[in-house]
Structures are given as structure tokens and as C-alpha cells.
């Protein structure tokens, strides 16, 4: 079973919008890395820290609820692959193509993935980020821009790979 990553409060608060960090309820949720109603641990981070991701998260929640209703199933958190792929293609690629800036959408998405990898206890997120983010990024011709924007992600990928594959 996949272990839920735990994130440092200071790291999360550094990515939060100023008005969110100032509201005590939102600040407590950001510090814990959890919302009262969870979409899944990483989807929660995107909801809280990348406001631009909310419409696509709504779409993913709608797909999950509709699937569960149509097939008589229970609700599950948003799939890691669906989340990573949609965030990458809908948010990161357009922002990188338009000249992404530090603190912008692409930066915050890359920073969240870096935090997830840093705290990950199993290969799930490493495999997801490699297949749904880094491989498509290298094929898109945008890897240099992304590496310049958030170089720590690539270092963390290597560290995570060594840690999880001794």
C-alpha cells in the first residue's frame, strides 16, 4: 500500500498565497497538507497552492463521482496518473511556453512534485512523475526551461531514485 507523504509546514507555506497563509483555517490546513475534505494528498496540495489547478481538479472529481455512480462503486481519491498528466499538459506546458516566472504556475507545480518526491516512501510518485511529467517534458522541448525554473526537481528525482532503489 502506498504511504501518504508528509510535508513540512514551512515548505508548504512558502508556496501559499499570502491571503491563504493569513487566514487561520486555511493556514492550518496548508501547514498540515490536508483539507477537511480530501481529494487525495497530492491533489489537496494542488487545490490549496495552485488556484489555477482548481477547474481541472473539479473535472477530475466529476469524472470520479460519475464513474462511481455509474458503476455502483465507492469514491476514491483522484488517480495519481490522471492528476499528474492533467496538471502537466493543462498548466505546466502552457506556462512554460508563455515564459514561466519564479512563483508562477509551472514553478508551483514543479515545486509540489519536488516536495512529494522528497517525502515519498515508495516508488509510486517517482514512477508517476517520471512517466507523466519528466518524459513528456523532455519530448516537448521544454525541459531546459523547466530545469532553469526549478532545478531542484531533477536533483530530487535522482536522490529519490537512489533512496528507493538501494
Amino acid at each position: 500500500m502506498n504511504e501518504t507523504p508528509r510535508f513540512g509546514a514551512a515548505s508548504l507555506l512558502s508556496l501559499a498565497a499570502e491571503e491563504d497563509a493569513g487566514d487561520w483555517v486555511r493556514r492550518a490546513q496548508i501547514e498540515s497538507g490536508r483539507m477537511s475534505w480530501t481529494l487525495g494528498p497530492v491533489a489537496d496540495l494542488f487545490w490549496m497552492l495552485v488556484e489555477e489547478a482548481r477547474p481541472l481538479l473539479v473535472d477530475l472529481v466529476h469524472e470520479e463521482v460519475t464513474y462511481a455512480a455509474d458503476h455502483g462503486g465507492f469514491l476514491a481519491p483522484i488517480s495519481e496518473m490522471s492528476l499528474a498528466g492533467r496538471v502537466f499538459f493543462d498548466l505546466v506546458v502552457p506556462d512554460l511556453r508563455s515564459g514561466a516566472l519564479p512563483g508562477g504556475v509551472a514553478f508551483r507545480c514543479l515545486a509540489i512534485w519536488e516536495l512529494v518526491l522528497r517525502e515519498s516512501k515508495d516508488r509510486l510518485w517517482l514512477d508517476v512523475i517520471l512517466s507523466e511529467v519528466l518524459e513528456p517534458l523532455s519530448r516537448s522541448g521544454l525541459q531546459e526551461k523547466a530545469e532553469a525554473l526549478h532545478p531542484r526537481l531533477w536533483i530530487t528525482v535522482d536522490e529519490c531514485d537512489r533512496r528507493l532503489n538501494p
Side-chain angles (χ1 to χ4, degrees):
M1 177 158 222
N2 299 319
E3 189 168 318
T4 301
R6 300 285 177 214
F7 309 101
S11 297
L12 296 176
L13 283 173
S14 71
L15 296 172
E18 192 172 310
E19 61 273 10
D20 287 339
D23 177 278
W24 71 272
V25 172
R26 288 183 179 197
R27 181 183 176 98
Q29 290 181 353
I30 292 167
E31 286 176 335
S32 72
R34 302 284 184 271
M35 295 188 298
S36 299
W37 186 55
T38 187
L39 305 173
V42 179
D44 287 354
L45 293 177
F46 278 100
W47 184 275
M48 291 187 290
L49 303 173
V50 184
E51 187 174 331
E52 299 85 348
R54 290 178 182 175
L56 74 90
L57 290 166
V58 168
D59 289 345
L60 290 170
V61 167
H62 180 263
E63 290 169 14
E64 173 60 33
V65 170
T66 301
Y67 183 85
D70 291 348
H71 295 89
F74 293 136
L75 295 175
I78 294 172
S79 129
E80 294 86 354
M81 298 292 263
S82 297
L83 174 65
R86 289 286 302 274
V87 167
F88 177 73
F89 286 107
D90 293 4
L91 298 176
V92 174
V93 168
D95 194 43
L96 288 172
R97 286 196 173 128
S98 69
L101 299 172
V105 174
F107 176 85
R108 285 177 283 144
C109 294
L110 296 172
I112 288 170
W113 284 321
E114 192 263 325
L115 282 169
V116 168
L117 288 177
R118 195 171 350 130
E119 301 298 326
S120 184
K121 304 281 189 261
D122 61 40
R123 282 201 58 91
L124 174 69
W125 276 104
L126 177 61
D127 292 342
V128 166
I129 291 169
L130 286 172
S131 68
E132 299 297 315
V133 178
L134 299 185
E135 289 172 13
L137 193 58
S138 68
R139 290 192 305 269
S140 71
L142 295 169
Q143 184 169 339
E144 280 186 34
K145 285 183 179 182
E147 283 186 42
L149 186 64
H150 200 290
R152 181 79 191 139
L153 175 58
W154 281 261
I155 295 165
T156 303
V157 165
D158 291 339
E159 290 170 352
C160 185
D161 191 40
R162 283 193 304 276
R163 179 172 36 92
L164 298 174
N165 296 311

